[in-house]
Amino acid sequence: MKGLYGWTLLILLFAFSTSQGQTVTSAQSGPWNDPLTWSPQTIPTASNSPSIVINSGHVVTYDAAVTGGVDQLTIDGELIVNSGVTLTLANGNGDEITVTSSGALTNNGSIAFATIPPNRTVIVQGTLNNNGLFQNANASRLFFNPGSSYNHMFADGGIIPPANWDVASTVNIVGYTSGSTTPPTGLNQVFGNLVWNCPNQDQAIALNGLGTLNLNIEGDFRVESTGTEALIYSAGGAGGVANIGGNLQVTGGVVVWTTGDAAPSTINIGGNLEVSSTGYFLLADDVDLTVNVAGGIILSDEGSLDLVGSTATTSINLQGDYTHTGGNLYV
């Protein structure tokens, strides 16, 4: 009888362990809360699965919050968090969410980190599209690895979540539409690369928001499109200092660096200052500006570089060469 009891106990323990420790993978695209989306056919949570995988080619919609939250989720396909829905991160042995190089996480709702230790962590190696909120995010919880992309999808304003940005990661501001004038908040971080590409923009947007902005970018800062209006670094504020480790590139749209400020601004560029294609770059309108360029100044195609708009003085300290193969230089 002892032997039979022992075997029965082992079988029960094995069954319990299997039910609590089963990897759940996506079987097809569909809602998170539909068992048919998953293999085995169960709705995965932190309590019933220590490992959840959304397979490549599958799009899973997080349509309603699940009890206990989500833990150790790997996204090879795409996860979409619906508007009005909160995805809560539960603490486990590993990272709570890993977005692989082929994966995408689209947040239209809210992703909630814990307010107390231990930290919940999200690792982005692929793409994160954001039109929602990251609750209690910080640089020790949200990581963007080399080659990753953050796409800021807000039609107006929005918050770039505080994160740890690798020098080879890229923040893309892409969502601005007609009538939008509010700059994104969260620009006071150290970014890898920063790209502004908003072809539907039809209002001038000042990044400083009438305050002081000290911009820090370890890689490149590139402006590709401002629609029919302008992107302004600082307007009507106190000026500021921008440190760009790589290149400052204006390939499209209109960029005005400083106008109406109460004090001068400074740009430190570790690479080149490049204006090309159809880009127009006015360095200083009516406030003095100092531009320190460790590389060269390159003006090409139909690009236009305007050193002074009206009453300002622009001082350029150039260590490299000035190359002019096309476009217009206004002094």
Side-chain angles (χ1 to χ4, degrees), residues 142-158:
L142 179 57
F143 296 84
F144 287 85
N145 284 359
S148 64
S149 295
Y150 168 88
N151 295 324
H152 194 72
M153 308 295 292
F154 292 85
D156 194 21

Side-chain angles (χ1 to χ4, degrees), residues 18 77 100 104 121 166 204 235 253 258 264:
T18 300
T100 68
T121 52
D166 186 87
T258 175

Side-chain angles (χ1 to χ4, degrees), residues 41-80:
Q41 292 183 4
T42 183
I43 298 172
T45 69
S47 59
N48 69 13
S49 177
S51 179
I52 306 168
V53 179
I54 298 176
N55 287 319
S56 178
H58 292 165
V59 179
V60 175
T61 303
Y62 196 78
D63 52 336
V66 297
T67 302
V70 173
D71 180 36
Q72 297 186 67
L73 167 65
T74 299
I75 304 174
D76 290 321
E78 183 177 6
L79 174 66
I80 300 175

Side-chain angles (χ1 to χ4, degrees), residues 233 240-244 248 257-258 263-269 273 281 283-284 287-293 307-308 312-318:
Y233 168 75
V241 177
N243 297 303
I244 301 168
L248 173 53
W257 201 261
T258 175
S265 290
T266 300
I267 314 174
N268 299 311
I269 305 172
L273 170 58
F281 191 7
L283 290 174
V287 187
D288 293 351
L289 174 67
T290 298
V291 184
N292 301 308
V293 185
L307 302 187
V308 177
T313 297
T314 298
S315 302
I316 298 179
N317 301 308
L318 178 63

Side-chain angles (χ1 to χ4, degrees), residues 45-315:
T45 69
S47 59
N48 69 13
S49 177
S51 179
I52 306 168
V53 179
I54 298 176
N55 287 319
S56 178
H58 292 165
V59 179
V60 175
T61 303
Y62 196 78
D63 52 336
V66 297
T67 302
V70 173
D71 180 36
Q72 297 186 67
L73 167 65
T74 299
I75 304 174
D76 290 321
E78 183 177 6
L79 174 66
I80 300 175
V81 181
N82 278 0
S83 176
V85 179
T86 297
L87 187 157
T88 300
L89 303 177
N91 185 57
N93 294 324
D95 299 315
E96 277 57 55
I97 297 179
T98 300
V99 183
T100 68
S101 58
S102 64
L105 169 59
T106 298
N107 178 34
N108 296 317
S110 183
I111 295 178
F113 294 81
T115 58
I116 58 175
N119 276 344
R120 278 67 165 167
T121 52
V122 173
I123 310 296
V124 182
Q125 300 166 354
T127 302
L128 195 156
N129 305 305
N130 186 35
N131 192 31
L133 179 65
F134 282 79
Q135 300 179 30
N136 303 307
N138 60 40
S140 63
R141 298 173 178 177
L142 179 57
F143 296 84
F144 287 85
N145 284 359
S148 64
S149 295
Y150 168 88
N151 295 324
H152 194 72
M153 308 295 292
F154 292 85
D156 194 21
I159 302 172
I160 302 173
N164 187 306
W165 308 91
D166 186 87
V167 66
S169 66
T170 301
V171 172
N172 298 290
I173 311 296
V174 294
Y176 279 83
T177 58
S178 178
S180 302
T181 60
T182 307
T185 59
L187 288 168
N188 56 340
Q189 305 182 56
V190 179
F191 296 110
N193 301 295
L194 179 63
V195 176
W196 188 280
N197 185 15
C198 299
N200 295 319
Q201 176 186 339
D202 65 358
Q203 301 291 322
I205 298 175
L207 294 181
N208 68 316
L210 299 180
T212 301
L213 172 63
N214 293 315
L215 192 63
N216 291 284
I217 302 168
E218 293 185 310
D220 297 336
F221 180 27
R222 186 168 66 256
V223 179
E224 297 181 354
S225 177
T226 64
T228 59
E229 256 296 342
L231 176 68
I232 305 170
Y233 168 75
S234 185
V241 177
N243 297 303
I244 301 168
N247 301 315
L248 173 53
Q249 302 167 315
V250 180
T251 64
V254 175
V255 178
V256 178
W257 201 261
T258 175
T259 180
D261 285 338
S265 290
T266 300
I267 314 174
N268 299 311
I269 305 172
N272 298 324
L273 170 58
E274 303 175 12
V275 184
S276 63
S277 190
T278 59
Y280 174 86
F281 191 7
L282 171 59
L283 290 174
D285 181 16
D286 52 359
V287 187
D288 293 351
L289 174 67
T290 298
V291 184
N292 301 308
V293 185
I297 295 179
I298 302 172
L299 181 60
S300 63
D301 303 321
E302 299 299 320
S304 296
L305 178 60
D306 197 342
L307 302 187
V308 177
S310 58
T311 59
T313 297
T314 298
S315 302

